[in-house]
Amino acid sequence: MVRRVIKRGEEELNRIKTAGDVKTLIDIMKESPDSINHESLMNRLVEEKAQSVPLVLRELKEPQYDSFVEIAVRTIHRTGINCAARL
């Protein structure tokens, strides 16, 4: 419904949909993506959870924007992968 009314973030959404690898998705996360695109970004990361979770965990070792941390935690939770030992 929101996408029908609000047109912001369309270019970013296209980048998320067409990203060819997880590294590109992580790079989008680092750019503090528009909140309207968080769901799509997390869905793509969950689809590639075997590759995305290790990369996300590596990035969390470095200082990040709050939005990166929020998306990272929510994504890891959705994957169902227990990362407690690695955190």
Side-chain angles (χ1 to χ4, degrees), residues 45-62:
L45 291 165
V46 170
E47 287 172 8
E48 303 292 336
K49 64 184 176 184
Q51 294 176 337
S52 65
V53 171
L55 290 176
V56 167
L57 290 173
R58 187 176 320 138
E59 292 295 333
L60 284 172
K61 292 179 181 179
E62 302 296 325

Side-chain angles (χ1 to χ4, degrees), residues 20-82:
D21 58 20
V22 173
K23 172 77 170 81
T24 303
L25 295 170
I26 301 295
D27 288 343
I28 294 169
M29 282 177 66
K30 288 179 173 182
E31 296 168 3
S32 199
D34 191 317
S35 60
I36 200 167
N37 292 323
H38 286 190
E39 189 72 25
S40 296
L41 181 56
M42 287 186 291
N43 288 341
R44 286 290 315 274
L45 291 165
V46 170
E47 287 172 8
E48 303 292 336
K49 64 184 176 184
Q51 294 176 337
S52 65
V53 171
L55 290 176
V56 167
L57 290 173
R58 187 176 320 138
E59 292 295 333
L60 284 172
K61 292 179 181 179
E62 302 296 325
Q64 299 292 344
Y65 287 112
D66 292 346
S67 66
F68 182 94
V69 175
E70 177 186 349
I71 296 167
V73 170
R74 291 173 62 199
T75 298
I76 291 170
H77 175 73
R78 286 183 186 196
T79 67
I81 297 172
N82 184 348

